């Protein structure tokens, strides 16, 4: 079945809305990066400090013993509280994104105010997305990698603890700067999409125009180019936003008909 397409007039109107959000994106990304970087830095230092006394007590060689040591480091670190802090940081950023979208929302006919139910839904989305980071699993892997590398080099407790810091700080990306940048870019775009969908729902909007693949052949996937300008329901838009890859360009605008 062929997807319904937006008329040229509706497409151009929606494109102006999407452009306004795009212009806000870089500043919002930078702000989120500035929130994330110190959090990851503190996490790395805390992991080092939690690990040092445990490393001094024992330096196991067996894999099972190493796993037990890592579990004790995570427990002493209080990784659950760090995950909760990350969730709060995500929620605050998502709220910033929704609030700054007021100008675009007004021009699109959604009003400037951010209704409380919309704000709560957007913040809750941020909390759910932070859970997908799985900070505990990432930190566990970082500890395992740091200890494996350090033990292969014959390092002692102090050297191992210092090796843990950058591994935990950088996580899967091995660099806290790149880690923060990728997260900030991906989550800002997702937060904008969720804000658009939730604001639209609150205003009674049932359909949204899809904007994607506008970099053209060779720089965008064919299926992303194909769906550009199509009209989807709110649940469909939400599913597309959830499935979007990191650094994606997918955007939505409310569709009011012609």
């Amino acid at each position: 079945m062929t997807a319904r397409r937006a008329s040229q007039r509706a497409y151009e109107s929606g494109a102006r809305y999407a452009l306004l959000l795009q212009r806000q994106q870089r500043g919002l990304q930078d702000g989120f990066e500035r929130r994330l970087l110190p959090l990851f830095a503190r996490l790395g230092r805390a992991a080092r400090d939690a690990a040092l006394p445990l490393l001094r007590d024992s330096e196991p060689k067996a894999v099972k013993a190493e796993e037990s040591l890592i579990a004790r480091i995570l427990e002493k670190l209080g990784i659950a509280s760090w995950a909760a802090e990350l969730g709060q940081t995500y929620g605050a950023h998502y709220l910033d994104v929704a609030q700054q979208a007021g100008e675009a929302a007004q021009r699109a006919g959604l009003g400037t105010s951010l209704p409380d139910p919309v704000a709560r839904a957007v913040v809750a989305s941020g909390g759910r997305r932070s859970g997908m980071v799985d900070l505990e699993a990432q930190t566990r892997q970082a500890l395992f990698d740091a200890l494996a590398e350090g033990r292969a080099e014959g390092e002692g407790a102090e050297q191992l603890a210092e090796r843990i810091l950058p591994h935990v700080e950088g996580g899967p990306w091995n660099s806290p700067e790149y880690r923060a940048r990728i997260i900030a870019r991906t989550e800002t775009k997702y937060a904008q999409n969720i804000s658009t969908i939730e604001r639209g729902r609150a205003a009674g909007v049932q359909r949204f125009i899809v904007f994607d693949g506008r970099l053209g052949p060779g720089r965008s996937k064919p299926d992303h180019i194909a769906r550009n300008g199509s009209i989807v329901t709110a649940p469909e838009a939400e599913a597309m936003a959830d499935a979007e890859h990191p650094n994606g360009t997918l955007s939505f605008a409310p569709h009011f008909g012609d």
Side-chain angles (χ1 to χ4, degrees), residues 105-125:
Q106 181 183 30
R107 293 193 183 188
L110 299 177
T112 56
S113 65
L114 183 65
D116 287 343
V118 173
R120 287 195 295 270
V122 171
V123 170
S125 292

Side-chain angles (χ1 to χ4, degrees), residues 28 51 56 78 124 147-148 164 183 197 205 213 227 233-234 250:
L28 288 163
R56 283 174 176 159
L147 292 176
I164 280 171
I183 291 174
I197 295 167
V205 175
R227 69 188 185 183
T233 64
L250 174 68

Side-chain angles (χ1 to χ4, degrees), residues 198-254:
E198 294 296 344
R199 276 183 184 270
R201 278 175 169 155
V205 175
Q206 303 295 321
R207 299 286 187 273
F208 296 85
I209 305 172
V210 178
F211 294 90
D212 201 8
R214 290 184 288 167
L215 297 177
R219 299 183 65 188
S220 299
K221 293 182 178 180
D223 57 329
H224 289 195
I225 296 173
R227 69 188 185 183
N228 184 54
S230 62
I231 300 173
V232 296
T233 64
E236 287 170 339
E238 203 165 19
M240 291 169 67
D242 287 341
E244 181 70 346
H245 58 81
N247 295 329
T249 60
L250 174 68
S251 300
F252 301 98

